[in-house]
Amino acid sequence: MIGLRPNIAKMAGYTPGEQINDPAVVKLNTNENPYPPSPRVFEAIQAVLTGDKLRKYPEPSGISFRKAATRVLGIDSESILIGNGSDDILTILTRTFVPEGGRIVTLTPSYSLYKSLAEIQGARFQTVAFGPNWSLPAVSAIPPDTSIFFLANPNSPSGTFIDIQKIAAFIEGLPCPVVVDEAYADFAEDNALRLAKLPKVIVSRSFSKSMALAGIRFGYAVAQPEIIQEMIKVKDSYNCDVLSLTAAEAAIQDTAYVTETRSKILATRERMQPALEALGFQVTPSQANFLWCRRSDRPVQPIYEALKQQRILVRYMQYSDYGEGLRISVGTDAEIDRLLSCLHDII
Ligand SMILES: *Cc1c(COP(=O)(O)O)cnc(C)c1O
């Protein structure tokens, strides 16, 4: 194709999870929240629709959302950058920090979008294995010429969580900016927000999981204002629309609702793990809203296929440098009962 950049021609492109919009399908493949968003989100969107807001451009920096987030999170609004989903934040970070020919480093197995970001940027991509029991590797394993280091915590697909003090010590030894991708932080026992005060840390958050707003596309970054100012130069001026900003502002303030749905999800996760283990899976202890399930006695792809036949969708994952497994989102209790009963028949 004329004029096509060679790195784009060569890359396969990121493959998102299947999005089947059929209410009869039990969808446990992309870690959406099984519960609806806060009722306040619907009220806020209604109010926008009856006003005159859609005709005009949104406020580009999301000042109203950032003020609300400031109150809830206890950080300065100058430390927050809004994104069209946290994937947009990850793209902005790559374009801000990674030169062509630069190097993106992450641990493996982890979020596979990081590789696509490197390919689009024309940068090299390198994975480093986790230490024992999903711990951090030695700092010396990270190449000195790394442009940016992505750390998903809790990690996907494992759901494992690395202690924040350990992350702080690791970051100290790193030669580059570090992104702590906290798409699942609301399900974990701690988070890295306090590390965003350090001059080379960027924390990334998503509204797709704990806030149940995957359909609206919203995320944000937290970092020192000097970093945020550089990222503002890179982002699209109007990367978040009026509806997503309205929804996000309402959702972040309803902390009681997030706490309530979170505890339901954690309770379901706690009973799901032993039930899957009883079916012969090795299940990694999770601090996220999904479980990473592997088997040593048989391949798991046929199990994924058989579940799909029964209209239950889970995520089959296969890493060339790690191996395969099923990542299963925590659904409602009824959905998980159906999953377990189908698995019982299959296995
Ligand atoms: C889901 C997910 C994201 C992306 O979230 P969006 O806000 O929907 O773009 C980012 N990182 C990880 C690790 C995720 O699992």
Side-chain angles (χ1 to χ4, degrees):
M1 191 184 306
I2 190 160
L4 184 64
R5 292 170 68 206
N7 54 314
I8 303 299
K10 250 192 344 219
M11 70 181 284
Y14 177 73
T15 314
E18 296 158 89
Q19 303 302 348
I20 296 180
N21 204 353
D22 175 350
V25 171
V26 173
K27 199 169 172 306
L28 304 173
N29 68 330
T30 49
N31 301 339
E32 288 130 323
N33 202 306
Y35 302 106
S38 159
R40 292 207 212 163
V41 168
F42 297 97
E43 288 162 23
I45 289 180
Q46 273 307 331
V48 164
L49 293 179
T50 50
D52 184 33
K53 281 226 180 131
L54 295 190
R55 190 172 59 80
K56 298 175 189 155
Y57 281 106
E59 197 285 311
S61 77
I63 185 65
S64 188
F65 165 79
R66 290 190 294 121
K67 280 193 177 138
T70 295
R71 288 193 299 273
V72 176
L73 305 171
I75 48 175
D76 300 338
S77 69
E78 292 73 36
S79 301
I80 304 172
L81 182 89
I82 56 167
N84 182 27
S86 72
D87 285 351
D88 183 35
I89 296 292
L90 303 176
T91 300
I92 294 166
L93 283 165
T94 303
R95 295 170 71 192
T96 305
F97 287 106
V98 184
E100 216 165 296
R103 192 196 293 276
I104 293 182
V105 180
T106 189
L107 303 182
T108 189
S110 191
Y111 189 35
S112 47
L113 181 74
Y114 306 140
K115 183 181 184 195
S116 302
L117 293 174
E119 290 170 336
I120 294 165
Q121 194 70 4
R124 290 160 295 170
F125 178 70
Q126 184 169 335
T127 57
V128 176
F130 277 89
N133 285 318
W134 303 96
S135 61
L136 287 166
V139 175
S140 57
I142 313 304
D145 66 345
T146 301
S147 311
I148 202 167
F149 186 88
F150 285 111
L151 178 68
N153 196 52
N155 185 50
S156 171
S158 60
T160 49
F161 180 82
I162 296 172
D163 182 81
I164 303 302
Q165 282 319 109
K166 297 222 166 80
I167 294 177
F170 179 75
I171 286 172
E172 205 166 318
L174 285 188
C176 60
V178 179
V179 180
V180 187
D181 181 344
E182 293 204 325
Y184 302 101
D186 284 337
F187 300 106
E189 65 194 12
D190 198 2
N191 65 70
L193 209 55
R194 59 190 179 273
L195 302 189
K197 291 192 175 67
L198 302 173
K200 59 181 167 188
V201 178
I202 303 99
V203 171
S204 160
R205 293 272 177 91
S206 170
F207 273 45
S208 299
K209 281 78 184 224
S210 59
M211 300 288 181
L213 287 171
I216 210 101
R217 311 304 305 135
F218 192 84
Y220 64 94
V222 184
Q224 282 305 288
E226 302 80 69
I227 297 180
I228 298 295
Q229 276 156 29
E230 300 304 320
M231 293 170 71
I232 287 171
K233 297 182 195 167
V234 173
K235 87 170 182 81
D236 289 348
S237 304
Y238 305 112
N239 62 333
C240 297
D241 61 67
V242 167
L243 295 178
S244 66
L245 285 166
T246 302
E249 183 182 342
I252 199 168
Q253 295 180 88
D254 200 351
T255 53
Y257 185 82
V258 178
T259 304
E260 183 192 323
T261 49
R262 172 192 195 264
S263 49
K264 283 199 275 190
I265 290 166
L266 297 201
T268 307
R269 184 185 74 196
E270 292 325 302
R271 81 175 174 93
M272 215 173 135
Q273 169 156 4
L276 288 165
E277 283 167 347
L279 288 161
F281 289 97
Q282 286 111 45
V283 185
T284 309
S286 169
Q287 290 213 21
N289 64 335
F290 55 85
L291 289 168
W292 177 231
C293 308
R294 308 188 77 204
R295 296 187 82 98
S296 40
D297 61 338
R298 56 199 262 185
V300 295
Q301 194 166 20
I303 299 174
Y304 154 81
E305 298 288 356
L307 283 172
K308 198 171 170 180
Q309 288 285 315
Q310 301 295 316
R311 300 210 279 190
I312 298 176
L313 213 51
V314 301
R315 188 78 174 261
Y316 169 72
M317 300 197 124
Q318 140 81 37
Y319 294 85
S320 58
D321 52 6
Y322 182 77
E324 61 162 22
L326 298 180
R327 194 192 65 189
I328 307 179
S329 309
V330 179
T332 61
D333 280 314
E335 287 172 330
I336 297 310
D337 287 342
R338 190 161 148 221
L339 166 83
L340 293 170
S341 118
C342 281
L343 280 173
H344 191 83
D345 296 342
I346 293 164
I347 289 161

